[in-house]
Amino acid sequence: MSRLLVVTAVAAEATAVRAGADPSRADVAPVGVGPAAAAAGTARLLALAEAAGHPYRAVVSAGIAGGFPGRAPVGATVLAARSIAADLGAETPDGFLPVDDLGFGTSTVAADPELLAALTAALPQAVVGDILTLATVTGTAATATGLAARHPAAVAEAMEGYGVACAAATAGIPFAEVRTVSNPIGPRDRAAWRMAEAFAALTEAARAF
């Protein structure tokens, strides 16, 4: 049976996923923080598995995230309908232009429909929407408001999903992104973060793998 690859940014997220995932069905590996590290690390693991004659059947980007207030509360599990590189583009006097409008590719990768449907069925309480990938996480109310306005379907933001999605697309492998919310997006109030709750929710979500 071909296996599922689950990639996280850091070891703590991988530990939480391993606590819930079936080790006979899924390999879990931290690949680094940010879209570049995530893309490179995921691509390497996918290439090694293919070279060994045991390609993965799908790849999931998993970890914790910030949630947009009113869309995904702290403690929620979120599933990406699309993973969007929200800061890939250009500033202009009239506002931000995504790379799509510049004619240099796309900032959006849709989750594999069958994989998303399976995860949605296994996690019926999950919030489904777009998950933004940002190399610089949001730390002000103004940025949070701007992102929410530009991306009305966004429910959360993290730093790796789009990179993992690009690696999966290049390899021709189904992709999905699963996150649990540790904090609201906006001003960075570390005292309000609920890391333990988010890691516990991530372990529960990983049972779907």
Side-chain angles (χ1 to χ4, degrees), residues 12-78:
E13 292 169 322
T15 297
V17 171
R18 290 190 189 105
D22 182 347
S24 71
R25 294 175 177 265
D27 293 332
V28 184
V31 293
V33 175
T42 302
R44 178 178 180 273
L45 292 173
L46 294 177
L48 287 172
E50 184 175 3
H54 303 290
Y56 287 105
R57 61 184 173 87
V59 59
V60 173
S61 176
I64 60 174
F68 280 96
R71 301 180 186 179
V74 172
T77 297
V78 295

Side-chain angles (χ1 to χ4, degrees), residues 159-182:
M159 301 180 76
E160 294 80 29
Y162 178 80
V164 178
C166 288
T170 299
I173 292 175
F175 161 82
E177 184 174 2
V178 179
R179 301 276 172 181
T180 55
V181 177
S182 62

Side-chain angles (χ1 to χ4, degrees), residues 65-162:
F68 280 96
R71 301 180 186 179
V74 172
T77 297
V78 295
L79 300 173
R82 303 184 300 173
S83 296
I84 300 175
D87 54 4
L88 184 61
E91 285 187 316
T92 77
D94 297 320
F96 179 81
L97 277 181
V99 70
D100 314 61
D101 292 349
L102 297 172
F104 298 142
T106 180
S107 60
T108 301
V109 180
D112 178 78
E114 292 185 8
L115 185 54
L116 178 59
L119 288 169
T120 301
L123 299 166
Q125 302 304 314
V127 179
V128 181
D130 295 339
I131 299 180
L132 307 184
T133 298
L134 293 149
T136 301
V137 296
T138 301
T140 68
T143 300
T145 299
L147 285 171
R150 277 173 32 215
H151 300 281
V155 294
E157 73 168 28
M159 301 180 76
E160 294 80 29
Y162 178 80

Side-chain angles (χ1 to χ4, degrees), residues 178-199:
V178 179
R179 301 276 172 181
T180 55
V181 177
S182 62
N183 58 279
I185 294 170
R188 291 172 63 79
D189 178 11
R190 293 183 70 91
W193 292 5
R194 297 292 178 263
M195 303 296 287
E197 290 90 333
F199 282 130

